[in-house]
Amino acid sequence: MNHPILAQIVPQVAAMSDRADKMKMVSKLSTSPGDRSASKIQAAFRKHQARLKLKKQAAWQIHEKLEYSSEQTEAKLKDMFEKLLKASDTLSPSVTKLLHKAGLPVEEKELLRLTNPDNIRIESNYQGPHIEGPITRKIFVDLIEAFKRGQILHEKYVCEILHQARAILKTLPNFNHIDLSYLRHVFIVGDLHGQLADLLHIFNSNGLPSIDNAYLFNGDFVDRGRNSVEVLLLLLVALILYPSSVFLNRGNHEDIMVTVRYGFYNEVNQKYRTRKAPLIDLFKDIFSWLPLYSYVDAGKCKIIIMHGGISDKVNLKKLNHLSRNRYVSIEVSPQSKTGGKKLTEEEDNEYHQMQDLFWSDPDPRGRKGCRKNEDRKMACFFGSDITHQFLKKYNLSMLIRSHQVKQDGYEYTHDGKVLTVFSASNYCGGSNWGAVVRWDYNEEEPWIISFKTQAVEMEKLSFSKQVTLFEDPVYHSLIEKIMTNKTSLLKRLEKADKNKNDHLPLTTWADIMSDVLQVDLPWLILRSKLVQEDEHGILYKTMFNDYILDNSKFQMSNAGIMEDLYMWKDMLLALFNLIDYNHSGFISRNEFADIVKLILYGENDMGDVNDAYVEELTSAMDFDKNGKIDFNEFLESFRIVNIKKPPSSTKRSDIKNKTSGLNGTIIEEIRV
């Protein structure tokens, strides 16, 4: 897999900070006819630019809201684990055993035996890069070149890198201490999410890591992008080469239960089919040994850097002394040291601090204090007062964090005391810039370097194509959300339709969309893309005309069951992999039925869910009727979104673009 994207880097001017003085240029136009014509042209152009900017902002808001919405699964999954553990007495013995095992560290002896590189043979037809002898800077560069060409590193060498990095990580304290009086400067890199092009651009622009060129990578190395394995391997090789000037913080995606849903888990399975189980366990173990945060002594400034954020519970003294490798997943609480089923009050407090460290966000509404994170449904929103109290308590100047995609790649909040940096540009098909922070010794503010890697130069596109590139991926995600809630939406919409004429007022329709989908979007702006309207209002049933949930291999007598399945596919996938602890690719129908019952009972309050319903569901998923559900069968069950072709009356000129959606489905979109 080549990366032509690397050759077309679009730079953006670096700024000392967004608090730098802005220059404004003012010109006075004369009133001659020629100048008036020029003025009209300028006004039209500015109006065009303003319209484009408004479209981009609307698309960006959708992207941001849907990103949060997708991560609400994490909180639901965490709640589900707690529910499963409480119900463990009624589950199959194998399921109960595996639920408890999920919260435990990997067994060391077995891990070392199964991933010993000395026991792994290299096939004669292997064409990828080789690692002979100790890892050197030359090997680092060779790996970069190989990964640029799309080559996959052999599992023998992967295990060598992972074990060497693991040995280093196990010796580290819970936080990295970065002293700039010695290192002089450090580059702080935010979320990379498997986007190799962005990492290589950062290295190309700012130099490779070295003894005198320090880097801190602030979590979320994996998931979403297609090269998570390669990104993580390069960071671990850099750590091996320069352990005193390369630092890694753990992010919320360095969690094997999260990677099941967002790509890394499947990427490992695809690239290393013959050794996927032990490699998954080795990655899982390495994640648990990553430091929790970093402290930077920059001379005049003292900075704390963590992936998510803080809360009024976060206590650095306690974080510095906990056993971090107990937290193999933030979604599955560790077992109590007392041996009891429940965590003690102190253990529960520690567990919530870990959640806050990886999942919290600055309060988007500028509220004070800490409150529940309504967007992620996990951890908290923290206000500027919490930030100021925290910084004062620990004699710190600033908090730098990542975790949130930002349109410019960075954002200051809380009176300039919190800086968010995100380094994956065009994230999930979006339009954002990536950014890297450089902090020099005795400087009171950082340099911020924004960049974007892309295969198409945006300025060469027409207006309509620009909007298409910005909107398509998130638009498709929104359609999926609507279709998986079709039954609930129709019920509410029809109830509100007092005149029974299939029309609703604009604001009524918008309120119902927000309430049912639990996503606060600019529905009035979006309506032209989603639904038809006339002088009487919104024709709400037309919202479902062009899309269907369908799968010829998987039909149920209950019309709403496919919506249930699709709505819960991420959680079901995670639970499938939890039960399939040995990564065999199979679980029994009985094991899967246990999980399905608990999920659907909880959501439907026992309503239409009964044993016959669950039996029909599990039987349908067991395509070859062998009593087992395999991984491929499981995925096949959820390829249920088919987008209808445009009606024959549509003009060819109206069809602007075909693009791949977030789940790989091809969308043929009609531009209005």
Side-chain angles (χ1 to χ4, degrees):
M1 180 170 52
N2 293 324
H3 289 278
I5 197 171
L6 296 174
Q8 300 183 55
I9 303 298
V10 182
Q12 188 179 47
V13 177
M16 179 62 100
S17 78
D18 68 348
R19 288 169 286 178
D21 291 335
K22 303 291 190 297
M23 293 183 64
K24 187 182 292 184
M25 182 162 50
V26 181
S27 59
K28 185 177 180 180
L29 295 175
S30 66
T31 56
S32 68
D35 288 333
R36 283 198 297 271
S37 297
S39 179
K40 287 181 179 179
I41 293 171
Q42 287 179 347
F45 177 75
R46 286 174 185 143
K47 186 176 180 181
H48 167 81
Q49 291 294 98
R51 189 166 65 250
L52 175 58
K53 185 176 181 180
L54 190 62
K55 290 270 191 179
K56 289 179 182 179
Q57 288 173 342
W60 179 256
Q61 187 180 5
I62 299 167
H63 186 283
E64 195 170 37
K65 292 288 185 182
L66 288 172
E67 171 72 9
Y68 278 131
S69 176
S70 71
E71 289 194 341
Q72 290 177 8
T73 302
E74 312 304 323
K76 291 179 180 177
L77 187 57
K78 177 182 170 296
D79 292 342
M80 181 57 63
F81 282 134
E82 293 174 0
K83 185 177 173 183
L84 290 169
L85 289 170
K86 287 177 184 176
S88 60
D89 294 340
T90 66
L91 300 176
S92 305
S94 59
V95 174
T96 301
K97 180 181 177 182
L98 293 170
L99 286 169
H100 286 286
K101 197 171 183 180
L104 298 175
V106 178
E107 203 284 311
E108 179 117 354
K109 278 189 178 179
E110 188 70 0
L111 181 68
L112 295 176
R113 183 182 69 81
L114 293 174
T115 58
N116 185 345
D118 294 337
N119 298 333
I120 303 174
R121 185 178 61 86
I122 297 179
E123 301 80 6
S124 58
N125 62 347
Y126 172 67
Q127 299 295 318
H130 290 265
I131 298 177
E132 306 295 346
I135 291 175
T136 62
R137 189 175 179 86
K138 180 181 181 303
I139 287 174
F140 186 32
V141 175
D142 288 345
L143 287 177
I144 288 174
E145 292 299 322
F147 293 160
K148 277 171 59 178
R149 294 192 295 270
Q151 293 182 324
I152 297 173
L153 187 64
H154 195 278
E155 53 258 43
K156 176 184 179 73
Y157 302 131
V158 172
C159 288
E160 284 188 12
I161 292 170
L162 295 184
H163 278 297
Q164 288 189 48
R166 181 176 183 266
I168 293 170
L169 290 170
K170 288 180 69 174
T171 67
L172 298 178
N174 285 355
F175 71 99
N176 297 302
H177 185 179
I178 304 172
D179 186 353
L180 295 192
S181 67
Y182 166 68
L183 293 171
R184 309 312 296 176
H185 71 263
V186 63
F187 287 103
I188 301 162
V189 181
D191 299 39
L192 287 166
H193 281 298
Q195 296 191 185
L196 182 63
D198 290 310
L199 176 61
L200 299 189
H201 169 67
I202 290 166
F203 284 163
N204 184 62
S205 297
N206 306 296
L208 288 175
S210 65
I211 292 173
D212 57 357
N213 195 34
Y215 277 87
L216 165 63
F217 298 93
N218 195 29
D220 280 12
F221 320 128
V222 302
D223 280 340
R224 304 287 196 185
R226 58 185 178 182
N227 292 108
S228 292
V229 170
E230 289 74 24
V231 166
L232 182 56
L233 289 175
L234 288 178
L235 300 188
L236 293 177
V237 169
L239 174 70
I240 293 165
L241 286 173
Y242 309 108
S244 62
S245 56
V246 171
F247 309 93
L248 308 178
N249 285 347
R250 184 176 178 178
N252 63 302
H253 280 260
E254 278 69 61
D255 181 324
I256 208 66
M257 296 309 298
V258 176
T259 67
V260 164
R261 291 181 299 290
Y262 295 109
F264 178 69
Y265 186 99
N266 288 337
E267 185 183 329
V268 174
N269 283 344
Q270 291 166 7
K271 292 179 177 178
Y272 300 103
R273 292 184 183 277
T274 60
R275 202 168 294 271
K276 62 183 180 182
L279 274 177
I280 287 290
D281 283 341
L282 186 50
F283 280 119
K284 171 183 172 181
D285 187 68
I286 281 176
F287 290 160
S288 74
W289 285 109
L290 289 166
L292 307 180
Y293 71 93
S294 294
Y295 168 77
V296 180
D297 185 345
K300 293 181 180 179
C301 294
K302 318 296 180 188
I303 308 144
I304 190 166
I305 305 170
M306 72 275 289
H307 180 73
I310 56 174
S311 71
D312 50 5
K313 292 186 179 73
V314 169
N315 184 311
L316 295 185
K317 186 176 180 180
K318 289 185 178 180
L319 288 173
N320 293 347
H321 293 96
L322 61 79
S323 301
R324 67 180 184 272
N325 70 308
R326 290 183 68 228
Y327 295 93
V328 294
S329 173
I330 304 303
E331 292 184 345
V332 186
S333 63
Q335 287 191 337
S336 174
K337 294 177 183 178
T338 65
K341 279 190 175 183
K342 289 186 176 181
L343 298 177
T344 65
E345 184 177 346
E346 185 178 350
E347 288 172 334
D348 188 63
N349 179 272
E350 179 181 293
Y351 180 39
H352 279 92
Q353 286 188 59
M354 292 286 282
Q355 291 177 38
D356 292 335
L357 209 63
F358 299 139
W359 283 93
S360 289
D361 299 302
D363 197 301
R365 297 185 181 179
R367 295 181 183 177
K368 305 290 186 180
C370 280
R371 61 187 177 98
K372 185 178 179 180
N373 193 320
E374 296 167 350
D375 289 333
R376 300 185 193 274
K377 307 299 182 188
M378 195 165 180
C380 75
F381 286 135
F382 60 99
S384 59
D385 57 329
I386 301 298
T387 295
H388 286 286
Q389 291 165 19
F390 183 85
L391 295 180
K392 183 178 180 181
K393 179 179 179 180
Y394 295 106
N395 193 28
L396 297 164
S397 309
M398 179 178 281
L399 185 156
I400 298 179
R401 39 92 65 181
S402 301
H403 194 41
Q404 288 178 291
V405 59
K406 298 297 177 184
Q407 195 155 16
D408 294 322
Y410 71 97
E411 181 182 71
Y412 280 99
T413 50
H414 293 182
D415 306 312
K417 292 298 184 181
V418 174
L419 172 58
T420 298
V421 57
F422 192 90
S423 302
S425 68
N426 296 319
Y427 178 58
C428 287
S431 60
N432 66 289
W433 294 75
V436 173
V437 171
R438 171 174 169 152
W439 206 300
D440 288 82
Y441 182 59
N442 271 341
E443 291 291 343
E444 296 184 10
E445 290 187 353
W447 286 91
I448 297 174
I449 307 139
S450 292
F451 63 90
K452 185 181 287 189
T453 59
Q454 55 185 26
V456 181
E457 294 182 31
M458 296 298 292
E459 64 270 17
K460 292 184 179 179
L461 299 178
S462 69
F463 172 75
S464 60
K465 286 186 179 179
Q466 282 187 316
V467 175
T468 299
L469 282 179
F470 280 116
E471 293 181 348
D472 279 354
V474 292
Y475 175 66
H476 174 69
S477 180
L478 180 56
I479 290 298
E480 284 188 329
K481 198 166 188 69
I482 289 170
M483 294 308 296
T484 54
N485 287 275
K486 179 179 177 181
T487 301
S488 299
L489 278 170
L490 268 175
K491 187 176 180 181
R492 286 286 302 278
L493 293 166
E494 288 173 344
K495 184 178 180 180
D497 181 11
K498 305 297 184 184
N499 297 322
K500 305 301 177 188
N501 62 358
D502 295 343
H503 284 79
L504 283 176
L506 270 144
T507 53
T508 302
W509 173 80
D511 289 344
I512 291 172
M513 294 296 287
S514 292
D515 190 41
V516 173
L517 300 184
Q518 291 295 293
V519 183
D520 183 19
L521 291 174
W523 295 108
L524 298 183
I525 296 174
L526 283 169
R527 70 184 189 276
S528 64
K529 298 177 70 64
L530 300 174
V531 67
Q532 294 176 21
E533 63 179 316
D534 58 24
E535 66 274 13
H536 302 295
I538 296 287
L539 289 151
Y540 58 87
K541 289 185 178 178
T542 62
M543 186 163 54
F544 310 108
N545 286 351
D546 293 339
Y547 306 93
I548 57 172
L549 290 176
D550 180 51
N551 187 327
S552 58
K553 292 185 178 180
F554 186 53
Q555 298 295 331
M556 306 297 297
S557 60
N558 188 319
I561 196 167
M562 288 203 286
E563 291 176 30
D564 288 339
L565 283 175
Y566 204 88
M567 186 183 302
W568 289 96
K569 72 181 190 304
D570 289 339
M571 184 174 289
L572 289 169
L573 182 60
L575 292 171
F576 182 104
N577 285 285
L578 173 64
I579 297 171
D580 181 27
Y581 188 80
N582 295 322
H583 318 298
S584 65
F586 294 91
I587 63 172
S588 74
R589 280 173 56 175
N590 288 339
E591 289 172 338
F592 194 72
D594 272 349
I595 305 299
V596 170
K597 285 178 185 177
L598 283 165
I599 289 177
L600 297 183
Y601 284 175
E603 286 302 301
N604 293 275
D605 295 324
M606 301 296 290
D608 298 328
V609 182
N610 52 39
D611 288 340
Y613 178 101
V614 175
E615 172 60 25
E616 184 179 6
L617 167 60
T618 54
S619 176
M621 295 180 71
D622 180 15
F623 292 128
D624 53 13
K625 308 305 175 190
N626 64 353
K628 294 181 179 179
I629 298 170
D630 71 31
F631 195 75
N632 289 327
E633 286 179 342
F634 186 87
L635 293 178
E636 184 67 25
S637 301
F638 296 107
R639 291 175 186 156
I640 58 176
V641 176
N642 292 330
I643 299 171
K644 287 183 177 179
K645 300 269 186 188
S648 57
S649 60
T650 301
K651 297 178 182 178
R652 291 288 300 174
S653 60
D654 289 335
I655 301 173
K656 298 295 185 185
N657 185 44
K658 285 188 179 182
T659 182
S660 178
L662 294 179
N663 70 347
T665 304
I666 299 299
I667 302 174
E668 187 168 55
E669 184 171 344
I670 303 171
R671 313 304 302 168
V672 179

